[in-house]
Each structure stands twice: as C-alpha cells, then as structure tokens.
Amino acid sequence: MQAATLLVATLVAGPGVSLAAEKPAGSEIDTARLVAIGGSITEIVYALGAGDRLVARDTTSTYPAVATKLPDIGYMRQLSPESVLSVDPTAVLAQEGSGPPEAMDVLKKAAVPLIVVPEKYSEDGILEKIRIVGEALGRLDAAEKLARTVREEIDAAEKRLTKIKTQKRVLFILSAQGSKLLASGTGTAADGIIRLAGAQNAIEDFEGYKQLSDEAVIGARPDAILMMTGGAPGGLGDEEILSQPGIAATPAGASKTLIRMDGLYLLGFGPRTASAVRELSSKLYPTLSD
C-alpha cells in the first residue's frame, strides 16, 4: 500500500477505514458532496480547485467569499451531528480541534467517512494539511504543487526576517471584555504566527489562553498588542484597550502599538499564511525591506 494511502487510513474513522486500506490513494473516499469544517480546510479545498464539491461549511470558513454562500452547519467547536449530516454529505473533512467530543464521536460512527486533519502551527503543519486534503480529494499533484508554492512563499517571507536585530515582544489578546484580557500563551495559533513573523510571544509561562492580571501584563513587557479584527461582540475598541492600566504601563501602551488583523488570515495556517507573515512582520518592523 502506498504511504499516502496509509496516511488517510489512519485518519479516517468509521466504515471508510477498510476501503481506504484497499484502494489506491485518492480514490477511496467519495467527496462528491463534501462538508468542510475549519477555515483553513475550506481554503485548501478551494485552492485545489474542488470548491464545487462543497455542500456546506462551518462558521469559521469565511474565505474565499464564495464559501460564505454555502449552508453554514455551525461553529466548528460547537457542532451538531444532525446539522452536519442534514446536507447529505458523502464525506466530512474536519480540522483537528473540531467538537465538542460528543459530536465528533457521533460523526465517527455515522455512515459517512470523517477525515480529521491535524492542526500544527508551523510551516510543516500547513504543508501536511494541504497534502492530506489533496489526498482525500484525489488531487495529489495539485496538492504537491500548492505545498511547494506555499513553502517557497513562507521561506521567502522568513528570509526577510534575518535582518531583524532585536525581536519585538508581542502580546496576543483573544478577547477583552471590560478589564478582563484573555491572552495567548504558548502552543496556540497566535504563538505560532508571532514566531513565524520574527517576534517573541510576550507570554511564555503557560500554554493556551488565560486571563491576565494587570501585573502580568506589565511583567510581560510587550512592544506590541496583537488582536483580531472586530474581536468579540461588545469588546473594547483600540483606545479602550490601550488605556487599560496594565497595557498603558507597557512599551506597547506608551507607543500605542496595537495591530489588528483578520482572524482567519492571521491564525488560519492555510495557503495565505506567508502573506500574513509578511504583513505582520512589516507592521512590527516598519523599516524591514524585501
């Protein structure tokens, strides 16, 4: 059996497993009616020229714009199996971390192949996602071509970063409600993109997301605050963020450096990540040139 077939076989749960082990790579799954769960997965499906197979997508799948015209089966971490299966899919491609676990357990037992694509916040992780999605779609050559292009673009974006002499410290804030700042530690997409952009995560003493006290924010000494465009409904605006007592006492507060970028573009780790790296690094290091 080809190595690529083995890869899909390990990722498919349910009735598709035995078929995947017996048929050539790329032909084992019927993806004529496909549900994509996870913004980067949907982007890759379109980038591989298979957008016409999609019959539904999740709420995070907002790019390309044509994807938003598809039926929305809900937020990827709060899925309902009934909603996913209601569009009569022949296969489901889901980004790792989709949930809740109870919903994923039901989908694994359904009579529809479910492919869970690993999520790793690195260049290699993006390439792996592209190849797995390409294999599921039976578009191995297109996937390899896309992976090659993405690698070249990221490598070129990172080459610029060798000119950086002192890394900026960046604090990523996921949400801000009142005085409560939910910030990223290590092991997150935010941590990954900060590192790819040639900067240092200002919070490295915990994994995942936690609320920070003013003292913790001051101790982190960020040079820049990074947030998603829009943020949570009812969240604080730029001036309100920068005037928070903890942030105001940091270099980022003093220089009023707050960067906002589209969430999927910034944190998606998909085909556009090289562009996101370039944009973020240019905002952090305005004098950086190609």
Side-chain angles (χ1 to χ4, degrees):
M1 182 171 22
Q2 298 179 34
T5 303
L6 278 170
L7 182 58
V8 162
T10 61
L11 295 171
V12 176
V17 173
S18 60
L19 291 177
E22 295 169 0
K23 292 188 176 183
S27 67
E28 59 275 69
I29 299 172
D30 177 4
T31 56
R33 293 182 58 82
L34 184 65
V35 171
I37 300 171
S40 64
I41 302 300
T42 301
E43 280 196 52
I44 293 170
V45 171
Y46 276 101
L48 295 178
D52 59 341
R53 302 187 198 178
L54 289 170
V55 294
R57 51 93 193 187
D58 76 308
T59 303
T60 69
S61 298
T62 57
Y63 185 89
V66 66
T68 63
K69 300 183 184 303
L70 293 167
D72 183 353
I73 47 88
Y75 177 50
M76 63 173 287
R77 302 192 195 283
Q78 298 174 348
L79 295 170
S80 153
E82 294 79 10
S83 180
V84 175
L85 299 174
S86 68
V87 294
D88 193 25
T90 58
V92 178
L93 271 174
Q95 182 177 309
E96 183 180 12
S98 298
E102 298 79 12
M104 298 305 289
D105 286 343
V106 173
L107 291 175
K108 288 174 183 175
K109 295 173 183 174
V112 176
L114 168 67
I115 302 170
V116 179
V117 184
E119 180 71 350
K120 301 173 185 174
Y121 307 123
S122 65
E123 177 181 346
D124 286 344
I126 298 170
L127 305 184
E128 182 182 28
K129 277 196 290 190
I130 291 171
R131 290 178 174 125
I132 291 173
V133 172
E135 181 182 356
L137 296 172
R139 298 204 169 186
L140 289 170
D141 291 344
E144 197 55 43
K145 182 178 179 180
L146 178 61
R148 215 165 33 243
T149 299
V150 169
R151 179 181 290 280
E152 291 172 355
E153 291 176 346
I154 292 179
D155 287 349
E158 289 188 318
K159 189 176 180 180
R160 301 165 69 237
L161 307 180
T162 59
K163 303 171 185 174
I164 296 172
K165 295 181 179 178
T166 304
Q167 287 189 328
K168 296 287 184 66
R169 295 174 61 83
V170 179
L171 174 63
F172 179 82
I173 298 176
L174 180 64
S175 66
Q177 298 289 332
S179 61
K180 298 178 180 178
L181 304 179
L182 187 62
S184 168
T186 60
T188 66
D191 180 71
I193 197 71
I194 288 170
R195 294 175 189 277
L196 281 178
Q200 180 181 355
N201 188 347
I203 303 293
E204 295 183 318
D205 55 354
F206 63 79
E207 292 187 3
Y209 289 90
K210 288 185 180 178
Q211 285 188 348
L212 295 185
S213 65
D214 287 344
E215 291 74 18
V217 173
I218 294 170
R221 298 177 289 107
D223 299 299
I225 305 298
L226 178 62
M227 299 185 71
M228 293 187 291
T229 304
L236 303 178
D238 290 5
E239 288 302 321
E240 294 170 301
I241 293 289
L242 292 169
S243 63
Q244 290 283 309
I247 291 178
T250 67
S255 63
K256 296 189 179 301
T257 304
L258 193 160
I259 300 168
R260 289 190 191 258
M261 294 173 64
D262 176 80
L264 178 59
Y265 175 58
L266 179 68
L267 306 177
F269 280 79
R272 295 182 295 156
T273 290
S275 179
V277 168
R278 279 183 175 274
E279 183 173 332
L280 178 55
S281 60
S282 293
K283 291 177 183 292
L284 290 171
Y285 308 100
T287 59
L288 202 63
S289 59
D290 288 323

